[in-house]
Amino acid sequence: MSDFDISPARLTSMAGTHADAASEVAGTAPAQPAGVDGGEGGPHVLLMLADLGADADALAQLNTGTASALRTVAADTEATDAEAAAVLRQSAAPICTPAS
């Protein structure tokens, strides 16, 4: 058994952080310039900026996927906890019922 313990609320909070990061990074792509005053190096600078835009897009997609996975884990954890609690309550009922 693992000592790793994290609450569904914390997982949901982390998912929100990743979703926010994805939005922030995705918002940078439209800011790429159409041209730069770089002299002979201008085309190379534009290529570097295009690569940065592609990397930013990939990062945004990874953050979006991570947010989704964290939300799924949080929901599964809550469902598993609820199911386990129901089974334990049902099992405890005969033990906890006062004798007549």
Side-chain angles (χ1 to χ4, degrees):
M1 181 142 183
S2 169
D3 288 335
F4 182 76
D5 183 25
I6 189 164
S7 71
R10 179 68 179 131
L11 290 168
T12 301
S13 173
M14 290 167 57
T17 300
H18 280 279
D20 291 346
S23 295
E24 287 290 324
V25 171
T28 63
Q32 300 300 320
V36 294
D37 184 12
E40 290 183 24
H44 299 289
V45 172
L46 285 174
L47 286 173
M48 288 188 285
L49 291 173
D51 286 345
L52 285 173
D55 290 345
D57 184 53
L59 180 60
Q61 290 178 19
L62 287 169
N63 273 305
T64 298
T66 300
S68 177
L70 288 169
R71 286 187 188 101
T72 298
V73 171
D76 287 350
T77 300
E78 288 176 328
T80 300
D81 285 353
E83 289 173 21
V87 168
L88 289 172
R89 278 192 296 275
Q90 185 179 14
S91 298
I95 299 169
C96 298
T97 304
S100 337

